[in-house]
Amino acid sequence: MSFLRTVHNDSVIIHSPGFYIIGFQTFPHITIYFIFLAFVYVLTVLLNAVVIYVITVNHCLHTPKFLAVVNLAVTDLILNTCIIPSMIKIFLIKDNFVPFNLCLVQMYVYYAFGTLESFALAILAYDRLIAICFPLRQNSINTLRSISYIVCLTWCLTLGVIGFAVGIMTRLSFCNSLNVFSYFCDYAPVFRLACNDYTMQWSVASLLTFLNLVGPFAFIFLSYVSILMTVFRMKSIDNRVKALATCAEHLILVAVFYIPVITIFTIGFYLRLIDPDQRVLSLSLASCIPPCINPMVYSLKTKEIKNRALALVRKKSNWPRST
């Protein structure tokens, strides 16, 4: 096997031709799991595409809240497209080799859009915070332009920061094992294969995990503390119930995304109580399931999207008769 050699700061950097993804090689009943993943991916594409289409074509849904929903749907669609097809390809054609550059691309897309999903949930929390805590000033504070600026800012920062994190992986030499024990070209399992110092990569990974996951989660938590304080100051019980009901779908999304990730990282990485095979399986499910569930929650729980989607289905079903 040949290696690519480049010179960096007067030292030789050895880039391997690629890596072997071996996360599921010892997992029993793997066929059933990949059939399940294929079903999840089809649902992810169909449901998120419907949400994006319904909001895009209906001008009455061009509001700050639904711009944030479209942002989440686009993120979900790209995130699962980055992961699931490559996992199914490994299973179908028994080829678990990923070229070096393609490995970095997959790593970049996965972590960029995983981070964007975390920020997308924080943006939805901001929308609920303004709507409930500042109802009289909602239309002046939470405008379509302001949400657009926030979404663009999160995308620019995320793509830039993750680009830097992935870019410094090219400073590592890979001259020993090329087996990545994960379900994709994962950041930490890859840099741990390096035969030179990876302190910078470890530090960046630790810092970005804190900023990109804990930061948005802390904002969401503080937002709901403020929301609850505002709700309990309301005199009418009906108003309290209505205010909290508007947060139901968002709370479900937050729980589906953060609880599995926090649990796996706490038990698996810090307490080390999870078997490595179970950790890989749990992380793959925690990555693939939320993008599938998110559009279900919003299409079933949000009256505006549900009504518009049903109206679109009726219109399509009646179209051949009218013609």
Side-chain angles (χ1 to χ4, degrees):
M1 181 180 291
S2 61
F3 290 87
L4 303 178
R5 295 174 180 264
T6 59
V7 177
H8 180 79
N9 291 341
D10 299 325
S11 62
V12 177
I13 302 298
I14 303 174
H15 287 168
S16 69
F19 300 95
Y20 294 92
I21 310 301
I22 61 168
F24 289 117
Q25 283 191 350
T26 60
F27 188 72
H29 310 297
I30 192 66
T31 303
I32 298 174
Y33 182 62
F34 279 108
I35 292 173
F36 171 73
L37 283 183
F39 176 72
V40 167
Y41 182 64
V42 171
L43 276 183
T44 300
V45 173
L46 290 177
L47 294 175
N48 281 292
V50 167
V51 170
I52 294 169
Y53 178 77
V54 168
I55 294 177
T56 303
V57 300
N58 289 277
H59 292 284
C60 61
L61 297 181
H62 293 180
T63 63
K65 174 183 177 180
F66 291 110
L67 175 60
V69 173
V70 167
N71 177 49
L72 179 64
V74 171
T75 301
D76 287 339
L77 191 56
I78 298 175
L79 181 59
N80 263 9
T81 299
C82 163
I83 294 297
I84 297 181
S86 66
M87 294 167 65
I88 295 175
K89 186 265 294 185
I90 291 173
F91 168 71
L92 289 179
I93 65 176
K94 309 301 181 184
D95 180 13
N96 64 341
F97 179 77
V98 181
F100 184 82
N101 289 334
L102 185 59
C103 178
L104 295 184
V105 169
Q106 186 186 47
M107 188 186 298
Y108 175 76
V109 175
Y110 175 83
Y111 280 102
F113 285 90
T115 300
L116 284 171
E117 175 146 5
S118 184
F119 280 112
L121 294 174
I123 293 172
L124 286 166
Y126 167 79
D127 175 80
R128 291 298 84 209
L129 175 69
I130 300 300
I132 295 175
C133 297
F134 307 98
L136 299 180
R137 300 173 58 194
Q138 178 183 1
N139 293 332
S140 60
I141 298 176
N142 194 19
T143 63
L144 201 57
R145 175 177 293 183
S146 65
I147 286 291
S148 299
Y149 286 154
I150 293 173
V151 170
C152 288
L153 180 63
T154 59
W155 276 66
C156 291
L157 287 175
T158 298
L159 296 180
V161 169
I162 300 300
F164 169 77
V166 174
I168 61 176
M169 293 290 284
T170 59
R171 301 183 180 184
L172 297 177
S173 289
F174 300 94
C175 47
N176 296 315
S177 174
L178 301 178
N179 293 328
V180 179
F181 191 77
S182 185
Y183 55 98
F184 75 109
C185 278
D186 203 350
Y187 195 81
V190 170
F191 74 60
R192 290 194 181 103
L193 298 176
C195 49
N196 58 342
D197 182 51
Y198 53 79
T199 303
M200 177 185 291
Q201 289 75 13
W202 182 89
S203 301
V204 169
S206 301
L207 178 62
L208 292 186
T209 298
F210 181 81
L211 292 178
N212 296 338
L213 285 177
V214 179
F217 181 75
F219 176 81
I220 293 169
F221 177 78
L222 293 175
S223 296
Y224 275 101
V225 169
S226 300
I227 288 171
L228 287 175
M229 291 174 62
T230 301
V231 166
F232 286 122
R233 281 198 293 262
M234 296 177 180
K235 296 181 180 180
S236 171
I237 295 180
D238 289 340
N239 289 340
R240 294 180 184 178
V241 173
K242 289 179 181 178
L244 292 176
T246 63
C247 302
E249 63 266 20
H250 181 250
L251 286 172
I252 294 173
L253 302 189
V254 170
V256 168
F257 180 76
Y258 282 105
I259 290 177
V261 171
I262 292 174
T263 302
I264 293 167
F265 271 86
T266 302
I267 298 177
F269 287 95
Y270 296 105
L271 301 180
R272 299 187 181 277
L273 298 177
I274 295 182
D275 178 77
D277 289 333
Q278 294 178 349
R279 181 181 64 82
V280 171
L281 175 63
S282 302
L283 281 174
S284 67
L285 286 173
S287 299
C288 299
I289 295 300
C292 178
I293 293 179
N294 291 347
M296 293 184 190
V297 172
Y298 262 101
S299 61
L300 293 176
K301 296 289 294 181
T302 305
K303 185 183 298 183
E304 295 92 338
I305 295 180
K306 183 169 63 176
N307 291 342
R308 293 290 172 178
L310 290 175
L312 182 65
V313 170
R314 294 192 193 101
K315 182 179 179 180
K316 294 294 183 181
S317 62
N318 292 332
W319 181 76
R321 300 176 185 176
S322 62
T323 56

